[in-house]
């Protein structure tokens, strides 16, 4: 009975109902929308960090990360390949790399740089470099002595496409290896630091220069899905470790790291981010809450006569309270549904093109946030938002409900 | 004019509960904004101070051109003169001198290229956090000539431990060979890979001898009393040296020029913070809009009566606007007051975030975060609340103009 | 039409090739003259900069195109410091720390002892022969002597930083000038040799200077006090042991 009464009561005064609904809708909408923006931002940040060569998972020689010299290389390439094939399945992509610190010089400048030997076709799918070349062209497998450098690097060395760069590093024979490369393409990255730091050449050329034979420095794997909590990646990494244990000759010469291991700051940031979002939800609700209490109170007072009458007819105070709360419940549920609906709609409207952040390009550069932001709704956020509003909404409705229950018939009749 | 104002004020308090709730909403939002903005800015300040304390300092004095290209030859020829200038400037908390040289460092097993930095142990301890980052062994004493501190990473790569010997080989200021055998006295861990792997620290006096520096240095590292004093200190130092004659040719870069990435990171975070604040304000404004709207509906009869006795719709509108302005102002003032008090309380005692204390301590970040109240943080938020609330009260007020007295009075 | 072009090309080809081979011979001869045999010498090197100058006396042993040992004799502070190039590697020794250290790539582009000769310059002296294609540009006459002007361009894959080198070689195989250009063919530094004297049985420039083109007051000067050419030098000289203890 309460249910029917409550429902009918709501619609008796559409204007009143509408006003309260609006407050809830706006509140919930803002929670969903903000949540989507935040999650979208998180994902883009992570994607960006990963595509700057980190990948979902990486495999190295045990000592490579501490000491990235050519002697700490992966040797059993053939068996690694088969193991990866078996475990990773169709949708994962991986690429091999040779990566060393080198000194690069031309006639007037010299400096330190990280030389990365890549498999051009495979690398395209695994990291940013495939799409980052803005001048000249990308590398192809057959390239002999071609190199890609960053735009900031080009400026620093005062050189241009077609010019030479001489690289020097230490080979596996402990002799100085040097080689000339010609700039064939220039890439842009999210930060100037990345542009200055990496130079890309075809893997065989780098391996040849360093006398590495068939050894490589690292394998970078991109899983089809990016899990912000890092759990999926950790699972796959575990499987890989088990499989690789079988094929290593010495005990544990290979390590497998997920992006969480490689980017601990990012991991910490993402964990905190979710936490703060929910605190914010609470704050938004409180802001909303005042309005809800106020408008509900006003509604109650408007209906003073009605409540007084009900009491006169024998309704107990508790029943009035339940009635009012039920009305609030409906309003909240309705508002939450509509608010969530609008949330979805507004996110969908933006999701197609993303939000363009180029105005803040300078600031965005540091943290690797790309120029476009794609909002993303998490089921978990929707549920939390809805629950917060519903539970707290009912809680704050208690005050007006109690007030309503206290109206005496005399007060009601002498109103006005 | 004042009649409307008086009436507005009295009208508000006719329905005190509703008014109080509305004021509470505005006060809450304002208070929150004041606190959050102060907290955010305070966090930035902490971040900046922590970052600069690791090595760059708030600002530095160097030879012109050293920032772009660290050539051995670009020195501060007379550090004593610089010191005497720095002593006279208020706002400087502490300073120290350093010299740097790129060298090869070899242990028995390996050789690496590193930057050797000569530090003044006593002064350095007051300026940077390096002393607290020593994990093994001990810090440098004033009389240590050939003792060296190395990062944990590097100690592993070189396969050395406390009391092992390292050879450094580099180029002195005059191009001559700089070579020395140093004893590892302490191992530090700053949490920053770049730092741990590439920099080793020895006594300044020893460095000057090995690298043929005479009494010159490369950098004067300065910590100001607070972040806000940096600009002023920088200006004063520059004034001093511009009058001292062109011969000195010194530059005074501040932390923003030395570490541009830090500033950009902060700007980015501020942006996302502002996004959240705006959404909050929209929600609050809407709440208030609701309240005003309902209030107007409720008072239809009252307005009808007023119009019937001759009040023009526009006067009523003005009256209603005054009512909302009054409430808003009271709310904002309360919010600023409350927010400021809470902020000041935490500014004194700090806030610690559960779970982060250990990590922070390890890396020299203070475990308590302090909000910082400033003119901006205490007024920016409330001001926007005021504007948006004002705007959102216009619509309901305009509805009044459409009222017809007779119909209005018939409303119950 | 094609036939005509073909004939013309064939006619001109030998000239070009000839010019090239001739140039190569000239360069090789000059190089051999300069470095071909072994030599033992004492020289004073002066490094001059805008606001200071540094002087040191060193003893040098060279053999063929690739082996060399330089040891500082004066000033006393730097005495015993040496650099050895043998085979592909380069080593440094410092008596104070009593260590021989192999030069890693990061040090190669730095100036040797702070001079305008880079470690690489010293390490790759034979690069001129190996990595470049030489063309004779011009033959001049000066004070009764022939002067060959040669343009050297790096071979396509050669790991050299220069875009071009220009050589001025005298008829009697003495290298007078070597100018280094970047890839845009702008001059970066110039090495000149003069004060040709008879030493033992050979004419040889006793004064050499490496000068930065863009900074007139930045140069390094090499003045031989004495130099003796030999047919060969013992292998023992170009070893790390000898680097530590060259028996001065």
């Amino acid at each position: 009975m309460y249910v029917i009464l409550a429902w009918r009561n709501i619609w008796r005064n559409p204007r009143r109902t509408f006003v309260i609904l609006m407050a809830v809708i706006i509140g919930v909408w803002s929670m969903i929308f903000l949540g989507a923006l935040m999650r979208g931002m998180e994902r883009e940040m992570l994607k960006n960090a990963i595509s700057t060569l980190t990948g979902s998972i990486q495999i190295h020689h045990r000592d490579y990360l501490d000491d990235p010299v050519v002697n700490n290389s992966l040797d059993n390439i053939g068996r690694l390949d088969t193991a990866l094939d078996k475990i990773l399945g169709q949708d994962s992509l991986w690429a091999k790399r040779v990566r060393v610190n080198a000194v690069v010089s031309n006639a007037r400048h010299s400096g330190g740089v990280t030389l990365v030997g890549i498999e051009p076709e495979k690398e395209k799918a695994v990291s940013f470099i495939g799409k980052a070349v803005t001048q000249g062209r990308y590398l192809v497998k057959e390239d002999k002595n071609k190199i890609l450098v960053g735009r900031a690097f080009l400026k620093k060395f005062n050189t241009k496409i077609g010019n030479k760069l001489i690289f020097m590093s230490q080979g596996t024979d402990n002799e100085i290896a040097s080689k000339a490369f010609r700039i064939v393409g220039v890439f842009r990255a999210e930060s100037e630091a990345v542009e200055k730091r990496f130079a890309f050449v075809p893997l065989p050329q780098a391996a040849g220069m360093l006398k590495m034979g068939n050894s490589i420095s690292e394998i970078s794997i991109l899983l089809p899905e990016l899990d912000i909590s890092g759990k999926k990646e950790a699972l796959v990494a575990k499987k890989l470790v088990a499989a690789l244990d079988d094929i290593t000759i010495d005990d544990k010469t290979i390590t497998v790291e997920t992006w969480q291991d490689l980017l601990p700051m990012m991991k910490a940031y993402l964990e905190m981010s979710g936490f703060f979002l929910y605190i914010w939800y609470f704050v938004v609700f409180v802001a909303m809450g005042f309005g809800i209490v106020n408008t509900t109170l006003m509604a109650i007072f408007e209906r003073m006569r009605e409540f007084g009458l009900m009491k006169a007819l024998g309704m107990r105070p508790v029943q009035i309270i339940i009635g009012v709360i039920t009305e609030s419940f409906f309003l909240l549920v309705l508002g939450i549904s509509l608010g969530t609906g609008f949330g979805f709609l507004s996110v969908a409207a933006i999701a197609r093109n993303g939000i363009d952040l180029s105005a803040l390009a300078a600031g965005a550069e540091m943290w690797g946030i790309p120029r476009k932001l794609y909002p993303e709704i998490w089921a978990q956020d929707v549920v939390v938002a809805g629950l917060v509003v519903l539970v707290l909404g009912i809680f704050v409705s208690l005050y007006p409900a109690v007030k309503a229950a206290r109206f005496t018939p005399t007060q009601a009749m002498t109103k006005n | 004019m004042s009649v409307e104002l008086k009436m507005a004020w009295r009208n508000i308090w006719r329905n005190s509960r509703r008014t109080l709730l509305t004021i509470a909403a505005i006060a809450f939002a304002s208070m929150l904004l004041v606190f959050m903005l102060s907290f955010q800015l305070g966090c930035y300040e902490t971040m900046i101070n922590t970052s600069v304390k690791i090595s760059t300092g708030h600002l530095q004095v160097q030879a012109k051109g050293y920032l772009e290209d660290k050539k051995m030859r670009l020195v501060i020829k007379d550090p004593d003169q610089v010191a005497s200038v720095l002593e006279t400037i208020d706002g400087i908390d502490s300073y120290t001198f350093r010299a740097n040289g790129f060298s090869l460092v070899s242990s028995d097993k390996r050789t690496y290229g590193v930057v050797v930095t000569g530090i003044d142990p006593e002064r350095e301890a007051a300026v940077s956090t390096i002393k607290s980052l020593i994990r093994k062994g001990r810090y440098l004493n004033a009389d240590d000539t050939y003792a060296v501190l190395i990062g944990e990473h590097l100690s592993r790569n070189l396969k050395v431990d406390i009391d092992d010997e390292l050879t450094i080989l580099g180029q002195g200021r005059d191009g001559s060979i700089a070579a020395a055998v140093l004893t590892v006295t302490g191992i530090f861990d700053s949490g920053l890979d770049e730092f741990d792997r590439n920099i080793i620290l020895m006594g300044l006096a020893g460095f000057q001898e090995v690298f043929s520096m005479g009494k010159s240095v490369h950098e004067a590292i300065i910590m100001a009393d607070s972040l806000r004093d940096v600009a002023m200190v920088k200006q004063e130092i520059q004034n001093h040296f511009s009058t001292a004659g062109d011969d000195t040719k010194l530059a005074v870069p501040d932390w923003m020029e030395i570490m541009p990435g830090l500033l950009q990171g902060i700007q980015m975070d501020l942006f996302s913070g502002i996004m959240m604040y705006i959404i909050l304000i929209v929600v609050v404004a809407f709440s208030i809009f609701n309240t005003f709207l309902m209030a107007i509906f409720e008072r239809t009869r009252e307005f009808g009566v007023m119009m019937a006795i001759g009040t023009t719709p526009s006067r009523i509108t003005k009256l209603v606007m005054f009512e909302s302005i009054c409430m808003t102002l009271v709310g904002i003032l309360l919010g600023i007051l409350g927010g400021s008090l809470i902020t000041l309380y935490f500014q004194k005692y700090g806030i610690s975030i559960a779970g982060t204390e250990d990590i922070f301590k390890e890396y020299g970040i203070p475990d308590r975060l302090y909000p910082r109240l400033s003119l901006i943080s205490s007024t920016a938020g409330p001001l926007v609340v005021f504007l948006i609330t004002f705007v959102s009260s216009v619509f309901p007020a305009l509805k009044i103009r459409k009222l017809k007295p007779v119909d209005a009075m018939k409303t119950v | 039409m094609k036939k005509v072009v073909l004939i013309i090309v064939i006619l001109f080809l030998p000239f070009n090739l000839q010019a090239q081979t001739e140039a190569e011979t000239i360069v090789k001869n000059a190089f051999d003259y300069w470095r071909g045999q072994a030599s033992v010498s004492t020289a004073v090197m002066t490094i001059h900069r805008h606001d200071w100058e540094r002087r040191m006396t060193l003893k040098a042993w060279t053999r063929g195109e690739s082996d060399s040992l330089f040891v500082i004799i004066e000033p006393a502070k730097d005495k015993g410091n040496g650099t050895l190039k043998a085979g592909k590697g380069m080593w440094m020794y410092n008596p104070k720390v009593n260590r021989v250290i192999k030069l890693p790539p990061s040090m190669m582009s730095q100036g040797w002892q702070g001079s305008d000769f880079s470690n690489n310059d010293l390490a790759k002296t034979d690069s001129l022969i190996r990595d470049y294609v030489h063309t004779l540009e011009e033959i001049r006459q000066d004070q009764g002597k022939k002067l060959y002007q040669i343009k050297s361009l790096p071979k396509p894959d050669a790991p050299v930083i220069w875009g071009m080198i220009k050589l001025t070689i005298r008829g009697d195989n003495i290298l007078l000038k070597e100018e280094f250009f970047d890839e845009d063919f702008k001059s970066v530094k110039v090495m000149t040799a003069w004060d040709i004297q008879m030493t033992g049985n050979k004419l040889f420039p006793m004064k050499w200077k490496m000068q930065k083109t863009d900074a007139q007051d930045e140069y390094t000067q090499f003045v031989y006090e004495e130099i003796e050419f030999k047919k060969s030098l013992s292998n023992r000289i170009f070893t790390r042991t000898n680097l530590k203890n060259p028996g001065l």
Side-chain angles (χ1 to χ4, degrees):
Chain A
M1 191 196 61
Y2 289 117
V3 171
I4 304 179
L5 253 182
W7 184 254
R8 290 208 190 141
N9 276 341
I10 298 179
W11 295 113
R12 265 194 306 128
N13 192 331
R15 185 176 58 203
R16 214 165 48 205
T17 303
F18 185 68
V19 169
I20 301 184
L21 263 184
M22 283 300 281
V24 177
I25 292 178
I26 295 267
V28 172
W29 168 83
S30 77
M31 288 186 197
I32 306 271
F33 193 68
L34 186 69
L37 283 179
M38 294 284 320
R39 300 301 190 188
M41 196 146 79
E42 284 173 23
R43 179 171 291 275
E44 283 306 308
M45 267 179 77
L46 186 57
K47 245 172 55 179
N48 215 59
I50 285 191
S51 96
T52 313
L53 303 192
T54 309
S56 312
I57 298 179
Q58 281 191 349
I59 302 178
H60 297 108
H61 180 279
R62 177 188 48 190
D63 295 324
Y64 180 83
L65 284 176
D66 272 344
D67 193 11
V69 292
V70 279
N71 311 77
N72 294 334
S73 306
L74 295 169
D75 291 319
N76 303 322
I77 307 306
R79 291 156 124 193
L80 268 175
D81 257 335
T82 8
L84 286 174
D85 244 329
K86 223 169 44 170
I87 301 208
L88 293 178
Q90 292 286 22
D91 303 313
S92 307
L93 304 150
W94 70 90
K96 305 195 196 96
R97 294 189 195 130
V98 162
R99 184 141 72 111
V100 282
N101 291 330
V103 172
V104 60
S105 331
N106 64 8
R108 291 189 197 267
H109 302 269
S110 106
V113 94
T114 303
L115 182 65
V116 188
I118 59 175
E119 305 175 287
E121 283 310 303
K122 285 208 167 153
E123 186 72 35
K124 241 203 269 210
V126 165
S127 74
F128 78 106
I129 188 65
K131 305 195 201 81
V133 176
T134 52
Q135 274 177 276
R137 65 164 178 85
Y138 185 58
L139 295 172
V140 295
K141 202 162 64 140
E142 296 76 30
D143 276 332
K144 284 269 172 272
N145 301 325
K146 303 287 190 286
I147 188 168
L148 301 175
V149 293
R151 202 181 70 146
F153 179 91
L154 207 69
K155 264 203 296 193
K156 182 170 157 197
F157 272 66
N158 223 330
T159 182
K160 52 187 192 281
I161 293 191
N163 277 9
K164 256 192 318 192
L165 288 171
I166 312 296
F167 278 80
M168 274 194 281
S169 189
Q170 194 138 345
T172 51
D173 55 355
N174 266 329
E175 297 290 341
I176 294 186
S178 68
K179 196 168 165 71
F181 287 92
R182 249 176 227 285
I183 304 176
V184 75
V186 180
F187 68 84
R188 287 221 65 183
E190 291 305 327
S191 72
E192 271 197 9
V194 169
E195 286 176 12
K196 283 195 205 157
R197 186 165 163 217
F198 295 110
F200 298 90
V201 297
L203 194 148
Q205 300 296 315
M209 166 185 158
L210 299 161
K211 309 243 178 9
M212 285 174 75
N214 279 331
S215 305
I216 58 173
S217 307
E218 73 187 5
I219 295 186
S220 184
I221 304 171
L222 192 65
L223 297 178
E225 239 182 83
L226 182 56
D227 182 0
I228 293 197
S229 70
K231 295 205 185 76
K232 293 215 176 85
E233 285 88 355
L235 272 173
V236 177
K238 252 208 199 140
K239 277 199 257 172
L240 277 172
V241 171
L244 292 174
D245 256 346
D246 296 334
I247 67 171
T248 51
I249 301 176
D250 319 306
D251 198 28
K252 295 209 199 93
T253 49
I254 297 186
T255 63
V256 179
E257 305 92 18
T258 65
W259 62 262
Q260 289 198 314
D261 302 316
L262 298 163
L263 303 168
M265 296 285 296
M266 173 83 36
K267 172 178 178 210
Y269 179 83
L270 291 175
E271 279 171 5
M272 279 211 310
S273 201
F275 177 65
F276 279 124
L277 185 65
Y278 293 151
I279 292 194
W280 197 250
Y281 276 5
F282 180 71
V283 166
V284 168
F285 177 80
V286 175
M288 216 166 72
F290 284 108
I292 294 182
V293 173
N294 232 354
T295 41
T296 313
L297 264 179
M298 284 197 269
I300 297 289
F301 272 95
E302 256 182 39
R303 298 158 65 190
M304 203 196 295
R305 253 176 154 199
E306 169 192 337
F307 289 120
L309 206 58
M310 287 206 275
K311 261 215 162 146
L313 290 177
M315 235 186 165
R316 291 193 311 275
V318 141
Q319 289 172 308
I320 297 188
I321 294 182
I322 297 184
V324 171
I325 300 257
T326 317
E327 286 175 33
S328 285
F329 178 77
F330 276 125
L331 282 172
L332 287 168
V333 168
L334 202 55
I336 292 176
S337 319
L338 286 173
T340 308
F342 280 128
F344 273 76
L345 279 175
S346 52
V347 166
I350 302 186
R352 214 173 330 135
N353 295 321
I355 301 180
D356 201 346
L357 291 176
S358 352
L360 315 140
E365 213 198 70
M366 162 77 180
W367 291 110
I369 297 189
R371 316 279 146 90
K372 276 214 154 151
L373 191 54
Y374 292 92
E376 171 180 311
I377 299 184
W378 283 26
Q380 156 188 356
D381 294 343
V382 174
V383 169
V384 171
L387 273 176
V388 165
V389 174
L390 188 61
V391 170
L392 293 179
I394 296 208
F395 185 70
V396 298
S397 303
L398 278 174
Y399 176 54
V402 167
K403 267 251 148 341
R406 293 244 192 101
F407 291 143
T408 60
T410 348
Q411 270 176 319
M413 289 188 291
T414 48
K415 182 188 169 191
N416 279 6
Chain B
M1 187 65 162
S2 62
V3 171
E4 273 109 345
L5 207 52
K6 262 202 207 153
M7 270 193 84
W9 185 254
R10 287 197 195 157
N11 278 345
I12 301 179
W13 296 110
R14 268 196 297 131
N15 191 331
S16 39
R17 179 170 30 226
R18 185 196 314 160
T19 300
L20 281 174
L21 276 172
T22 308
I23 292 183
I26 299 176
F28 172 75
S30 307
M31 196 162 71
L32 196 70
L33 285 171
V34 169
F35 179 71
M36 296 239 62
L37 207 55
S38 301
F39 185 68
Q40 203 168 6
L41 294 178
C43 275
Y44 292 157
E45 204 169 312
T46 307
M47 249 174 79
I48 295 174
N49 283 337
T50 310
S51 305
V52 300
K53 251 201 162 218
I54 296 184
S55 69
T56 55
H58 278 132
L59 60 164
Q60 295 185 7
V61 179
Q62 312 168 340
K64 249 206 192 102
Y66 190 73
L67 190 62
E68 294 82 22
D69 192 6
K70 299 202 177 338
K71 287 211 162 67
M72 272 312 265
R73 287 182 282 133
L74 293 174
V75 295
I76 299 177
K77 287 198 202 113
D78 192 355
D80 286 334
Q81 183 207 20
V82 174
S84 59
V85 169
L86 294 179
E87 289 288 342
T88 64
I89 299 183
D90 271 336
I92 291 187
D93 176 67
S94 53
Y95 65 89
T96 185
F97 293 105
R98 291 193 200 136
N100 309 299
F102 179 79
S103 316
L104 291 180
V105 65
S106 336
S107 63
D108 262 345
K109 309 247 168 26
R110 306 287 206 104
T111 303
Y112 284 94
V114 297
V115 173
V116 180
T117 300
I119 60 174
D120 176 340
E122 276 165 38
R123 279 195 174 139
E124 183 77 30
V127 170
S128 78
T129 50
I130 193 70
K131 184 167 181 182
S132 59
L133 297 173
I134 306 267
R135 305 283 178 230
K136 226 176 167 188
R138 62 167 181 82
Y139 185 60
L140 297 173
N141 295 331
D143 51 1
D144 278 328
T145 340
Y146 295 119
V148 70
L149 304 172
I150 66 176
E152 197 164 17
H153 237 111
L154 191 59
S155 79
R156 263 183 291 148
N157 287 349
L158 284 170
K159 304 202 200 313
V160 292
D161 204 342
I162 306 290
D163 286 335
D164 283 337
E165 279 186 350
L166 291 174
T167 314
I168 56 169
L169 200 61
Q171 224 169 45
R173 175 183 165 196
D174 57 356
S176 65
I177 303 287
V181 177
L182 306 173
T183 316
V184 178
T185 316
I187 298 184
F188 61 82
D189 179 10
S190 73
L192 298 171
D193 257 5
E194 294 300 306
F195 195 73
D196 283 353
R197 233 189 277 200
N198 298 317
I199 300 188
I200 68 177
L201 306 168
M202 65 183 286
L204 185 57
F207 183 99
Q208 285 168 326
E209 190 206 310
V210 172
F211 286 84
S212 311
M213 299 278 289
K215 60 182 175 108
S216 65
V217 298
H218 286 121
E219 301 160 338
I221 316 290
I222 304 168
M223 285 298 282
D225 281 333
S226 83
L227 207 51
R228 268 149 298 129
D229 294 319
V230 171
M232 183 259 299
V233 169
K234 176 173 171 161
Q235 189 61 51
E236 273 202 54
I237 302 181
Q238 279 172 330
N239 290 344
H240 258 283
F241 285 120
S242 62
T243 51
D246 198 45
D247 189 41
T248 34
K249 284 209 195 100
L250 295 174
V252 189
D254 60 26
W255 63 270
M256 290 185 272
E257 295 165 89
I258 304 177
M259 279 196 298
L262 189 57
L263 184 64
Q264 288 171 340
I266 289 179
Q267 286 169 330
M268 184 66 230
D269 195 61
L270 195 58
F271 165 69
S272 69
I274 290 182
M275 216 167 54
M276 288 177 115
Y277 297 154
I278 294 197
I279 291 197
L280 179 69
I281 295 180
V282 165
V283 171
V284 169
F286 209 79
S287 257
I288 296 175
F289 173 76
N290 261 1
T291 312
F292 284 166
L293 198 62
M294 274 203 90
I296 303 245
F297 288 148
E298 206 191 78
R299 296 159 70 189
T300 315
R301 196 159 171 262
E302 170 193 337
F303 295 141
V305 170
M306 285 175 78
M307 285 203 274
I309 59 174
T311 324
T312 57
S314 61
R315 262 188 112 182
I316 300 187
T317 310
K318 218 198 286 188
L319 180 66
V320 168
M321 294 292 298
F322 275 154
E323 286 174 26
S324 45
I325 291 181
C326 283
M327 282 196 281
T328 312
L329 274 178
V330 172
I332 288 182
L333 287 172
L334 280 178
I336 294 183
L337 193 63
S340 303
L341 284 175
I342 295 187
T343 305
L344 284 172
Y345 173 77
F346 283 112
Q347 195 167 313
K348 187 147 186 237
Y349 295 108
I351 304 172
S352 57
I353 302 184
T356 54
E357 291 114 344
D358 295 327
I359 298 192
F360 281 0
K361 214 175 221 185
E362 241 190 70
Y363 297 114
I365 304 176
D367 54 346
R368 306 192 84 79
L369 295 169
Y370 294 87
R372 184 162 277 288
L373 192 65
S374 62
L375 198 60
I376 292 192
S377 70
S378 61
T379 56
L383 204 65
V384 178
V385 171
F386 179 77
L387 285 170
I388 296 196
T389 311
F390 184 77
V391 167
S392 69
S393 63
V394 167
F395 173 67
L398 289 178
K399 269 205 127 5
I400 296 173
R401 294 166 158 259
K402 302 212 193 117
L403 285 179
K404 292 214 182 77
V406 172
D407 295 324
M409 286 193 289
K410 271 203 270 182
T411 316
V412 163
Chain C
M1 186 59 195
K2 269 200 197 164
K3 268 214 176 148
V4 176
V5 173
L6 197 57
I7 294 177
I8 294 179
V9 166
I10 294 180
L11 275 180
F12 274 106
L13 203 51
F15 284 156
N16 239 352
L17 269 181
Q18 208 177 52
Q20 248 180 24
T21 358
E22 198 183 331
E24 261 175 47
T25 320
I26 298 176
V27 174
K28 185 110 201 341
N29 288 344
F31 198 77
D32 285 342
Y33 191 88
W34 177 32
R35 291 290 302 255
Q37 296 169 299
S39 74
V40 181
S41 58
T42 313
V44 176
M45 181 165 88
T46 310
I47 304 175
H48 185 94
R49 294 285 178 260
H50 158 76
D51 52 354
W52 57 264
E53 196 177 86
R54 187 167 151 236
R55 239 201 189 130
M56 48 187 139
T57 312
L58 28 100
K59 194 139 183 225
W61 293 260
T62 72
R63 179 174 69 175
E65 295 160 2
S66 55
D67 297 333
S68 61
L69 173 65
F70 294 86
V71 180
I72 301 182
I73 326 182
E74 269 172 33
K77 170 167 81 104
D78 293 328
K79 179 169 177 171
N81 268 293
T83 310
L84 167 69
K85 158 108 186 344
K88 280 206 264 178
M90 212 160 154
W91 290 263
M92 276 178 82
Y93 172 70
N94 179 282
K96 227 164 71 170
V97 303
N98 197 14
R99 266 190 160 238
V100 173
I101 297 188
K102 186 161 180 182
L103 252 64
S106 39
M107 292 279 268
M108 293 311 274
S109 38
Q110 295 205 359
W112 182 74
Q113 298 291 339
S115 73
D116 298 293
F117 294 93
S118 71
N119 282 319
N120 225 1
D121 282 341
L122 266 67
K124 291 195 175 174
T125 37
D126 51 346
S127 160
L128 192 59
I129 304 294
R130 258 184 321 133
D131 298 320
Y132 292 82
V133 172
H134 311 278
T135 324
L136 183 58
E137 271 192 325
E138 193 191 338
I139 306 182
R140 293 204 311 268
Q141 286 284 358
D142 181 54
Q143 295 173 354
K145 297 259 198 302
K146 244 195 211 168
L147 281 182
Y148 296 109
Q149 190 74 30
I150 295 184
K151 182 168 82 171
S152 310
L153 293 171
K155 294 184 183 157
D157 286 338
V160 292
I161 59 179
W162 307 114
M164 174 172 76
I165 295 186
K166 279 206 177 155
L167 300 158
T168 307
I169 300 177
R170 223 163 69 160
D172 51 353
N173 294 321
I174 296 185
L175 176 64
L176 289 180
K177 182 169 163 191
E178 187 174 2
E179 192 166 358
F180 300 83
F181 296 82
D182 65 18
E183 277 184 287
D184 297 321
F185 302 133
K186 287 212 206 70
S187 173
V188 179
K189 57 184 190 179
V190 187
M191 182 168 77
T192 38
W194 72 103
D195 192 19
I196 300 174
Q197 287 178 25
M198 186 61 89
T199 73
N201 52 345
K202 219 160 116 147
L203 279 173
F204 197 77
M206 299 299 272
K207 298 207 167 93
W208 297 71
K209 184 172 172 184
M210 180 70 95
Q211 163 100 54
K212 275 212 178 48
T213 314
D214 287 335
Q216 284 305 309
D217 52 4
E218 284 190 21
Y219 60 81
T220 301
Q221 194 164 287
F222 229 81
V223 174
Y224 283 101
E225 285 186 346
E226 55 176 4
I227 177 167
E228 193 188 336
F229 289 94
K230 296 183 165 190
K231 278 256 164 54
S232 68
L233 281 174
S234 147
N235 277 338
R236 193 195 50 79
I237 295 184
F238 302 100
T239 59
R240 271 169 272 179
T241 333
N242 193 42
L243 170 64
K244 277 171 89 161
N245 208 343
L248 288 169

